[in-house]
Amino acid sequence: ELLLLDGPRGLVEVLEQERNVTLSTGFRTCKQMRTLLGAWLPPSGLREWYHVFQSYRQGGLDSVLTEALFHALSGQVDVEGEPLHVFLDKRRLQDGQDFRESFAFALVKSHVVFPVVSSAALKRMAELRADSAWVDNVLLEWTLTIELMLAGSLEICLPLLLGDELSPDSAEGALVGDLFVSSHLKNLPDEVAEKTVEEAIKILAKHDLVPSPELASRTVKQVVAKLMLCAGIKAWDIHSSHGATVPVSSKREDCKSQLVRHCVKAVMKVVHEVGKSGPKGGGGG
């Protein structure tokens, strides 16, 4: 029987909604379908460690790209021929779990962090002030990433840089502009987000990690600047390979596919450079 896996009304969507399935051979529960077709479904649930941790702001292009990258990377293998374990909150976290505690554990236990540093992600950070009462979870992830690198417990940070999303009728079919000229980058506050820093200190202590001396005085602007010092992928350098006669919408989809392929290649390169398969601090980590 032919089943549509991805897309609207695809099997992945149906099972995410905990709906049962009627096949030509009869009725199947959601649990039965997962058991029957588990090898073809995206991995889910938490693990003890990950090859790659994806950090991003939910919504828009950021979500589209990280979802596509999750599926593409989950089909890859590491240097030992083992399946790649990728953390994406949407796919790994389940109802009832402590969101912040779970993603913090996953981040600390990952070999490579892949943060999506986009104009969209920075837009909300521009609203932060020293006395802001809320914790920005994306800023928290990036702060922890920097602290893990300084502590020598994170091998590689590979950022994907996305500027302002371009209009769908962009003549070249490009997705985004240059992040370095984005107003959201320029408008980041040169203030310490106290609540986010406090949360980072708590998480580090829980994992027996000592905060760096500069953590308490590192501003929002400095966190982003330090993350962008890592050699990363500039999405605005990726353009559609289609000719001028192809519809703009097709060019954009082609550009999106090319960017995902480029990211997969870059991520796999660093995963193989790390050359480890197993938990950090043991079992090959």
Side-chain angles (χ1 to χ4, degrees):
E1 184 160 348
L2 184 62
L3 294 174
L4 178 65
L5 187 63
D6 297 311
R9 296 190 296 277
L11 187 60
V12 171
E13 180 183 287
V14 168
L15 297 184
E16 281 180 352
Q17 297 170 356
E18 297 295 324
R19 289 155 50 194
N20 299 321
V21 179
T22 301
L23 304 175
S24 59
T25 53
F27 177 83
R28 296 289 185 274
T29 65
C30 184
K31 184 176 180 181
Q32 287 174 327
M33 291 301 294
R34 285 199 177 98
T35 301
L36 182 65
L37 300 173
W40 288 275
L41 296 173
S44 61
L46 295 173
R47 296 185 50 82
E48 292 184 3
W49 64 279
Y50 301 89
H51 291 91
V52 182
F53 179 98
Q54 291 183 275
S55 173
Y56 71 109
R57 181 82 72 193
Q58 291 188 5
L61 184 61
D62 298 36
S63 288
V64 171
L65 291 175
T66 50
E67 177 82 9
L69 191 57
F70 175 81
H71 285 279
L73 287 174
S74 296
Q76 302 290 320
V77 296
D78 63 17
V79 289
E80 297 179 10
E82 295 296 321
L84 216 66
H85 304 309
V86 184
F87 181 87
L88 180 67
D89 55 4
K90 179 182 176 182
R91 293 297 175 187
R92 292 294 186 178
L93 300 183
Q94 298 171 342
D95 292 343
Q97 293 175 328
D98 186 305
F99 175 78
R100 192 169 293 157
E101 184 175 314
S102 296
F103 81 61
F105 176 87
L107 176 54
V108 171
K109 298 298 182 181
S110 294
H111 291 292
V112 176
V113 172
F114 184 84
V116 179
V117 184
S118 68
S119 289
L122 303 184
K123 184 177 181 180
R124 189 171 186 220
M125 286 184 195
E127 302 170 8
L128 283 166
R129 294 296 178 266
D131 59 353
S132 292
W134 49 282
V135 173
D136 186 305
N137 285 326
V138 177
L139 181 64
L140 175 60
E141 291 174 357
W142 295 358
T143 298
L144 290 171
T145 296
I146 292 170
E147 289 297 305
L148 292 173
M149 286 193 293
L150 291 174
S153 61
L154 174 65
E155 283 88 349
I156 294 176
C157 172
L158 176 68
L160 169 61
L161 309 182
L162 301 173
D164 296 329
E165 191 166 354
L166 299 180
S167 168
D169 60 359
S170 172
E172 295 183 0
L175 295 174
V176 295
D178 187 334
L179 179 62
F180 290 98
V181 300
S182 170
S183 61
H184 298 309
L185 178 62
K186 296 175 181 178
N187 292 335
L188 287 173
D190 207 12
E191 299 181 48
V192 178
E194 300 287 353
K195 287 290 185 183
T196 302
V197 169
E198 288 174 13
E199 192 64 30
I201 292 172
K202 289 178 187 176
I203 291 170
L204 291 170
K206 190 168 186 176
H207 292 275
D208 299 319
L209 293 167
V210 179
S212 67
E214 60 266 31
L215 171 58
S217 60
R218 191 181 297 126
T219 68
V220 175
K221 184 180 290 250
Q222 289 171 337
V223 169
V224 175
K226 197 165 187 67
L227 205 66
M228 290 176 66
L229 287 176
C230 299
I233 301 165
K234 299 175 182 176
W236 55 90
D237 286 340
I238 310 298
H239 293 273
S240 172
S241 59
H242 289 332
T245 58
V246 175
V248 170
S249 58
S250 297
K251 287 185 181 181
R252 285 180 63 81
E253 286 305 311
D254 176 59
C255 187
K256 202 177 298 180
S257 298
Q258 284 200 57
L259 179 56
V260 171
R261 287 194 295 269
H262 185 85
C263 289
V264 169
K265 185 177 180 180
V267 171
M268 291 310 302
K269 182 176 183 292
V270 297
V271 166
H272 288 157
E273 286 173 358
V274 170
K276 298 176 182 177
S277 180
K280 292 168 68 172

